[in-house]
Amino acid sequence: MRTRFGQFTVDSDTRQLLRDNADIHLSPKAFDLLWALIQERPRVIEKTELHARIWPDTYVSDANLNVLIGEIRRAIDDKPQKPDFIRTVHGVGFAFCGMAADVPAALAPAPALFCWVVWKNKTFALSEGDNVIGRDPRCSIWLDAAGVSRRHASLRLDSAHRRVTIEDLVSTNGTFLRRSRVREEMLLTDGDQIKVGSVQFTVRLWASDKAPETKRIRRKTE
């Protein structure tokens, strides 16, 4: 678990105190004390409880506790007269008094989603976002064939939402998905057959998770 306060981060798994990304040395007992104060913030932890946590089954004097507090304060530039992080409650114990926030564990990256179309012996890999199909050489997928409009249809790769869709761009001869005319944006699955003009090609999807099922998408009324 990681907790950030000011320009410092404490990592309980690696037992590190970091200033930005630089490691700051703390003795093992000082680290245990700092972590205990952070965990219980803003509660005041009594000295007897701290003794039991840091020196279980061992008797030590309060002077040992004060030495560790001094070590922590030097490491994080905290002043006992005007503390930003470690507050002394005289005759009772200590408390972490600064603003601190737990840092969520990094999420595993979503599995990559790849899509390409196959026409005869040609393969066109889709880029993220819109990939226009048409007879115009500037299209992402250039099909110089009969019946294909200059900007015929669009394939949209949306990795964030794990889907690939097709939309007809008001072409002259229409776009067909598995022999049905595409009249609105449609989700695609691996192996779908698409026909634009005289060209029929196959959509291939690859991801480590299951590809989305083909279904209609209702457009929001503007």
Side-chain angles (χ1 to χ4, degrees), residues 58-167:
T58 303
Y59 173 78
V60 295
S61 67
D62 287 348
N64 296 75
L65 194 56
N66 292 333
V67 168
L68 295 185
I69 289 292
E71 181 183 346
I72 294 170
R73 281 180 168 148
R74 286 190 297 273
I76 61 177
D77 300 325
D78 203 42
K79 306 300 181 185
Q81 296 82 6
K82 192 177 180 181
D84 291 319
F85 302 114
I86 307 297
R87 180 167 67 94
T88 301
V89 182
H90 295 287
V92 181
F94 300 92
F96 190 91
C97 60
M99 296 295 295
D102 295 334
V103 181
L107 297 176
L113 177 65
F114 298 98
C115 180
W116 62 99
V117 299
V118 180
W119 175 46
K120 296 182 178 178
N121 61 342
K122 295 182 179 180
T123 301
F124 302 90
L126 267 61
S127 301
E128 188 71 24
D130 291 329
N131 298 260
V132 176
I133 305 167
R135 194 163 39 85
D136 190 325
R138 292 170 295 183
C139 290
S140 304
I141 302 175
W142 178 35
L143 301 177
D144 189 13
V148 178
S149 298
R150 293 184 65 82
R151 290 172 57 87
H152 197 109
S154 178
L155 292 170
R156 179 174 297 163
L157 175 61
D158 183 357
S159 298
H161 295 92
R162 320 297 299 139
R163 67 181 191 172
V164 180
T165 60
I166 186 167
E167 180 181 14

